[in-house]
């Protein structure tokens, strides 16, 4: 037999549904970390989603340092204030170059927050990464792998993605000298070095990047942005006189021009 609700109950149910919708929308806003660059935030629906796996590639081997710097900045933005930042690296990556504590401090990241873990191979690194991401007290975790190890398959990325969704921790998969493959990542990025805007009296400006959003789950991908890091505000901004978004036809040529200028 069908139960018929009185009118008062129907009205109350509508109110509850509206409240639930508002809570869901508010939760999504809190779950996104604004990058400070309005056009890019809008493309991502409010910013970088926390508690999701994100994948970042150096566009060229010469961009490895820029990709690491950009990833460190994202980790800072995605993390809750004061929460520890974990950086897991393969020994092969560590031999290519060490993280520079004064450099982290220069871009506004307190090195005391950083926990560096160096592991001998991709299998050990990915196992440790899942354990780290499951810990709810972690702010964000950078997972740095060299090239395209067999251990990093779709199943491994799904483990990381599931751990992130459960804990709310944001893992950032940093790929050096690698090619994209099947992945459960929420977003995928390509990072180029770019020239910064000089300050008064010719003083060097903030770190700058040409970033390309290759894909994102549930939303349209594509787009290239010239970003500059604002250390004082702890966010990205659009450099003076640069375009916010570049058309698909011009993305490659603009990125190559920025790389030549940076060199």
């Amino acid at each position: 037999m069908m139960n018929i609700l009185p009118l008062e109950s129907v009205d109350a149910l509508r109110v509850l549904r509206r409240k639930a919708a508002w809570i869901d929308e508010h939760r999504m806003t809190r779950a996104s970390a604004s990058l400070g660059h309005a056009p890019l935030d809008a493309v991502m629906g409010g910013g970088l989603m926390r508690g999701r796996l994100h994948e970042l590639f150096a566009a060229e081997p010469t961009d490895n340092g820029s990709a690491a710097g950009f990833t460190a900045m994202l980790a800072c933005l995605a993390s809750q204030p004061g929460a520890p930042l974990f950086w897991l690296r393969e020994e092969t990556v560590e031999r290519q170059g060490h993280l520079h504590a004064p450099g982290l401090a220069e871009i506004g990241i307190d090195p005391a927050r950083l926990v560096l873990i160096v592991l001998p191979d991709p299998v050990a690194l990915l196992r440790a990464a899942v354990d780290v991401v499951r810990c709810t007290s972690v702010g964000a975790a950078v997972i740095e792998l060299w090239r395209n190890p067999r251990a990093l398959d779709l199943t491994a990325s799904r483990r990381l993605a599931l751990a992130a969704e459960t804990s709310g921790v944001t893992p950032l998969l940093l790929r050096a000298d690698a090619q994209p493959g099947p992945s459960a990542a929420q977003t995928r990025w390509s990072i180029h070095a770019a020239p910064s805007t000089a300050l008064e009296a010719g003083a060097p400006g903030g770190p700058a990047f040409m970033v390309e959003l290759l894909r994102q789950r549930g939303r349209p991908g594509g787009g290239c942005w010239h970003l500059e890091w604002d250390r004082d505000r702890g966010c990205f901004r659009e450099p003076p006189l640069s375009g916010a978004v570049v058309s698909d036809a011009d993305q490659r040529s603009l990125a190559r021009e920025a790389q030549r200028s940076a060199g």
Side-chain angles (χ1 to χ4, degrees):
M1 181 177 179
M2 182 181 296
N3 293 319
I4 300 176
L5 293 174
L7 182 60
E8 293 80 3
S9 298
V10 173
D11 290 340
L13 186 58
R14 288 172 180 167
V15 172
L16 287 173
R17 284 175 175 169
R18 285 197 294 269
K19 287 183 177 180
W22 181 89
I23 290 171
D24 286 341
E25 182 180 355
H26 188 57
R27 184 185 297 116
M28 287 298 295
T29 301
R30 289 184 300 166
S32 296
S34 171
L35 303 190
H37 187 278
L40 181 52
D41 282 341
V43 167
M44 294 189 294
L48 190 80
M49 290 187 68
R50 293 188 175 101
R52 295 294 188 275
L53 175 66
H54 302 277
E55 195 171 24
L56 302 102
F57 289 82
E60 303 289 343
T62 54
D63 294 313
N64 286 343
S66 292
F70 183 78
T71 304
M73 295 163 191
L74 286 188
C76 186
L77 289 171
S79 174
Q80 299 299 329
L85 303 175
F86 276 69
W87 198 302
L88 299 92
R89 313 183 91 195
E90 278 188 80
E91 285 184 355
T92 302
V93 177
E94 182 71 6
R95 288 195 293 269
Q96 307 300 317
H98 304 292
L99 295 180
H100 188 54
L104 292 171
E106 186 63 27
I107 61 176
I109 299 175
D110 182 2
R113 292 180 61 191
L114 188 68
V115 180
L116 176 62
I117 302 174
V118 180
L119 291 160
D121 57 69
V123 173
L125 186 143
L126 290 167
R127 286 175 178 169
V130 171
D131 289 337
V132 168
V133 174
R134 284 173 177 162
C135 182
T136 57
S137 62
V138 172
V142 177
I143 305 153
E144 191 173 3
L145 287 155
W146 180 253
R147 295 185 175 171
N148 292 80
R150 292 180 61 184
L152 182 59
D153 56 12
L154 182 58
T155 300
S157 70
R158 281 174 174 164
R159 289 194 187 103
L160 283 169
L162 181 59
E165 292 175 15
T166 302
S167 67
V169 175
T170 305
L172 302 166
L173 195 57
L174 176 57
R175 310 291 307 282
D177 196 14
Q179 299 298 321
S183 170
Q186 177 70 29
T187 63
R188 175 179 287 167
W189 304 79
S190 177
I191 315 301
H192 301 260
S196 61
T197 304
L199 303 177
E200 294 182 4
F209 313 89
M210 191 68 68
V211 302
E212 184 178 358
L213 181 58
L214 300 175
R215 57 163 290 189
Q216 59 176 334
R217 288 182 176 273
R219 300 185 66 87
C224 193
W225 291 264
H226 187 186
L227 304 180
E228 192 171 77
W229 178 249
D230 186 332
R231 182 192 185 281
D232 295 332
R233 294 171 56 219
C235 65
F236 294 99
R237 64 188 177 199
E238 181 182 334
L241 304 180
S242 74
V245 180
V246 184
S247 66
D248 291 342
D250 293 334
Q251 286 175 14
R252 299 291 181 185
S253 61
L254 181 57
R256 287 194 294 268
E257 181 61 29
Q259 189 174 2
R260 284 196 296 268
S261 299

